[in-house]
Amino acid sequence: MLTFSQRKKQAAELCGINLTDSRMATVLADLNMADKLLENAARRSWTHREKVADINGGQQYYQIASDMHRVTAVKCRISGDSNITTALQEVHSDYEWNCLNEYPYNSNYPTHFFIRGEDEIGLWPIPSQDIEKGIIVVYEPRIRDMGIDDFEFTADVTQNGVEITNPSSGLPNGFQPYMTENFYIQSTNNQDGNWYKVQKVVDQNTMEIDNNYLGPSGTAVSFRMGQCPPYPEEYHNAAVNYAAYRFFAMRKDTDSAAMYKSLFDNDLETYRNTYGSKTTGGIVNPGRKHVPTLTDVFKNSTITEG
């Protein structure tokens, strides 16, 4: 796992410039762009999020949240007092959507949705009843730019607990709500090497992590907390190589640019092949005999009369 500060330092070292160099602004912009390229390569399948909104009777269009990059699916609850949801079918073309809406049609049960422009979701038929938390949108989130340096501080923690409390002066303003956006925390006391995602900020004095803390309980335990990319940690270096490639390409150092571009491209391709699907496939064993399927049987058969 590499934090923003660690990747920034690595990029500066590869480019041979100081962290205070004015060119670091471009390097950091390229780091953030690489994060988006990597996330887009795998369609953000493991970072899918859901947002819920009320359905208003007579209202057909609903605003898309600002952090939505692409809508993956839309579901509707059949009534306010039911947990049963139905998946809506997407209408892809303007023509089909316009044909559906030639005449107003209202119903308690929408069956289709349509993305209008960049920021609206339309439902058809037009909902005829109010349903609290009636529309559920599954989406790929936009990747936020990173730019906050790491924090080093001490705090209290209990083994197998999820609360981190009483932060020291290393966090002068305590825990803040923005720290739930891709911030991870790790103890630096060499007794627990795990990284934990910041799940919830209760108040300035207390935050919760996404899993039970496995290190020993203690007061004034040393921690590092920083922003980390939301994709698998084995590819966090790839963005550094991309930033170095862009830096040397702008300087017309073709050899260095080609080297770092090759490193990035290799990581990108491996990443796409490994994480481009939500699920893992079976292990391919070269020594195992293939079991024919029904498709194989028909493919290799000849149909004759008589």
Side-chain angles (χ1 to χ4, degrees), residues 54-212:
D54 295 340
I55 287 180
N56 301 314
Q59 180 179 339
Q60 185 171 29
Y61 293 97
Y62 297 83
Q63 187 76 27
I64 292 177
S66 60
D67 68 330
M68 288 186 184
H69 181 70
R70 279 187 292 226
V71 173
T72 302
V74 177
K75 300 178 286 184
C76 282
R77 295 173 65 195
I78 62 173
S79 65
D81 58 354
S82 173
N83 289 323
I84 299 175
T85 61
T86 178
L88 306 191
Q89 180 178 339
E90 182 177 4
V91 177
H92 293 278
S93 75
D94 289 344
Y95 175 76
E96 291 176 283
W97 184 250
N98 291 334
C99 287
L100 283 176
N101 287 278
E102 282 184 350
Y103 300 98
Y105 177 40
N106 294 58
S107 170
N108 287 343
Y109 308 108
T111 57
H112 293 70
F113 76 94
F114 177 71
I115 305 300
R116 186 171 74 168
E118 298 180 350
D119 59 357
E120 286 186 315
I121 296 175
L123 303 181
W124 186 91
I126 300 170
S128 58
Q129 62 176 333
D130 295 345
I131 302 178
E132 185 179 359
K133 299 180 180 178
I135 181 172
I136 304 165
V137 181
V138 183
Y139 66 98
E140 299 172 1
R142 293 185 184 277
I143 305 305
R144 295 187 181 182
D145 287 347
M146 297 186 184
I148 301 176
D149 285 321
D150 296 357
F151 298 102
E152 293 189 359
F153 60 96
T154 62
D156 302 341
V157 65
T158 302
Q159 189 176 46
N160 292 323
V162 296
E163 287 192 345
I164 310 292
T165 60
N166 301 320
S168 68
S169 58
L171 283 175
N173 297 316
F175 300 122
Q176 296 295 314
Y178 69 81
M179 293 174 180
T180 58
E181 186 63 40
N182 292 328
F183 273 80
Y184 287 76
I185 186 170
Q186 182 191 44
S187 168
T188 57
N189 60 6
N190 297 321
Q191 293 179 305
D192 178 24
N194 293 296
W195 285 89
Y196 302 91
K197 190 176 189 302
V198 177
Q199 190 71 24
K200 179 181 180 181
V201 173
V202 179
D203 53 39
Q204 292 184 349
N205 199 52
T206 304
M207 75 174 186
E208 296 178 359
I209 53 179
D210 65 341
N211 216 326
N212 291 346

